Amino acid sequence: MSSEEPGASTDTGTDAGTGRPHLRLTDPRAMRAVAHPTRLALLEALMLREPLTATEAADLVGESPTNCAFHLRTLAKYGFVEEAEGGTGRRRPWRRAQAGFSLEADGSAPQDSESRLAADALTGVVLETWLERIRRVFARRPGFPERWRRLTGMSETVLFMTPEEAEEFTRDAHELLRRFQERSDNAALRPAGSVPVEVIQFSFPFDAVTRPEG
């Protein structure tokens, strides 16, 4: 990929369930392009239901069709989405071009200053999106049906691990999640009564937040 050509990433392998590549973002322009709440919301909407036109996506993300069309074209420019089959006339459906993306697929963070700043900006937008969603969910939790009220929760556990054990734990957790991943792309695999359930996982060395900075 040349330095002049926009591109999202390096392909780090094809997801067995979806047949789409998992992308490691390496281009700071792609990082900045996706570091936008509406664009992240559009990718999530396409994960839940695709293909979608800009008009259909607008109903899901609370933006105008014109805005959604612009953001979808920007996501397409950097390889996050692509046009889907079945478009007629001005109806232009979109689908995800990737199974997911990450900044540090091989454990190494971007090193040059431009990439580091772009990665920090994207991380900030993603974290704010998650934290705001968690606040909103728990504010509404008392009104959930009783069973989902019990299943909606959060917990904290401090485990003593070596770095090797922490890597194994993460691999095992991802393997558990992959058992359900195919359902994201194939509605026929979703059992009756299933609904989209979001799982957000954070893991970090605990002394990073308990030791003094500096």
Side-chain angles (χ1 to χ4, degrees), residues 16-30:
T18 66
R20 306 179 202 192
H22 188 95
L23 306 178
R24 181 189 176 215
L25 301 187
T26 56
D27 186 338
R29 294 168 297 179

Side-chain angles (χ1 to χ4, degrees), residues 7 21 26 122 133 144 147 182:
T26 56
L122 174 54
R133 180 177 299 156
F144 290 1
R147 190 173 189 184
E182 289 186 21

Side-chain angles (χ1 to χ4, degrees), residues 34-56:
V34 77
H36 189 289
T38 299
R39 292 171 193 166
L40 291 173
L42 286 168
L43 291 177
E44 288 182 344
L46 288 169
M47 180 182 65
L48 297 175
R49 196 182 103 200
E50 65 178 4
L52 290 171
T53 65
T55 299
E56 292 166 339

